[in-house]
Amino acid sequence: MKLKQLEITLQRLAGFSLPQPALEQYLTPAPLAARLLHHALMRGDIGGKSVCDLGCGTGILAIGAALCGAADVIGVEVDPRAAAVAEANADLVGADVEFIAAGIDDPALHRLIGVRDTVVMNPPFGAQKVHADRPFIDFALEIAPVTWGIFNAGSLSFLRAYIQSRAVIDEMTGGRFPIRRTFSFHTKDVQEIEVEVLRIVRGDA
Ligand code: SAH
């Protein structure tokens, strides 16, 4: 699927109906999701691959990966309501994705997911709960040799240090993430935050 067509298709997906601040439920905007996936596709990380989206929310990255030709896609989401929206979204655009409503700390997950080729994720940034992104990084590195993730701008040096003996960051692109007024503590209607899209490659890959 071409980049523009992917973006237009992802634009049709529903977002969170009742976003929960504690879970940092922010929908990745379609242009950013499409760009990440298209880039990952060009790098050979999506087409024909087994993919997992950790903290998939309403499914935009998982569904996009399926539309880009992934062989098999699983989305994991702790909030069952968001997972239900993700299911409906996948049906809407005819994407074949298996959604699992579970937290990434669920001990049954490893058995359900197995080993994957690629993780795509926009995890919580840790704005509400410090270091909330760490278990996502750990889990991603355990299950897949390659991870594409969206992180808060300025995370690069922390992430490099955090994954030091396990993986390297071999590509970084910047991006913007317009956040619409979602929660009562937001003071502007739309606020732009800077993000970093990183390709993280495990040492054995
Ligand atoms: N990946 C989606 C959502 C990003 S927001 C997108 O790109 O649009 C982060 C998501 O992580 C939210 O949906 C939130 O509910 C989920 N989440 C937070 N903690 C989680 C956990 N422990 N396990 C699984 N999902 C979690």
Side-chain angles (χ1 to χ4, degrees):
M1 190 177 271
K2 293 229 168 65
L3 176 60
K4 196 67 204 171
Q5 194 191 343
L6 178 64
E7 185 182 321
I8 290 167
T9 307
L10 296 180
Q11 209 96 53
R12 295 173 55 208
L13 305 181
F16 295 99
S17 47
L18 265 178
Q20 296 181 54
L23 293 174
E24 295 194 43
Q25 294 187 324
Y26 294 104
L27 171 71
T28 303
L32 183 62
R35 216 180 60 197
L36 179 155
L37 291 163
H38 200 257
H39 203 150
L41 177 66
M42 295 296 121
R43 291 290 310 257
D45 296 333
I46 303 285
K49 303 289 185 183
S50 59
V51 176
C52 185
D53 178 357
L54 298 176
C56 68
T58 53
I60 192 164
L61 294 175
I63 292 168
L67 296 176
C68 285
D72 142 50
V73 186
I74 295 179
V76 179
E77 170 56 46
V78 73
D79 175 5
R81 283 178 312 180
V85 175
E87 296 264 9
N89 276 336
D91 288 347
L92 178 74
V93 298
D96 186 10
V97 179
E98 181 191 346
F99 291 103
I100 301 175
I104 57 157
D105 53 342
D106 187 324
L109 260 192
H110 275 285
R111 188 177 44 78
L112 290 171
I113 297 178
V115 171
R116 316 298 291 179
D117 295 315
T118 306
V119 165
V120 291
M121 63 181 185
N122 174 12
F125 290 167
Q128 297 296 319
K129 192 176 142 206
V130 183
H131 304 317
D133 51 352
R134 290 190 184 184
F136 283 80
I137 296 162
D138 294 340
F139 196 93
L141 291 178
E142 277 167 32
I143 63 168
V146 175
T147 295
W148 286 81
I150 302 176
F151 300 93
N152 223 347
S155 307
L156 187 63
S157 54
F158 149 70
L159 281 168
R160 271 218 177 98
Y162 185 63
I163 62 176
Q164 198 183 26
S165 57
R166 296 178 284 170
V168 294
I169 293 164
D170 86 336
E171 199 174 317
M172 180 188 102
T173 49
R176 274 169 191 277
F177 203 134
I179 297 186
R180 270 176 241 295
R181 181 194 284 271
T182 314
F183 303 126
S184 56
F185 55 79
H186 289 162
T187 51
K188 295 186 185 160
D189 281 346
V190 178
Q191 180 145 17
E192 292 236 312
I193 58 163
E194 304 270 343
V195 295
E196 285 163 357
V197 176
L198 305 180
R199 182 176 189 263
I200 303 171
V201 184
R202 216 165 55 192
D204 60 346

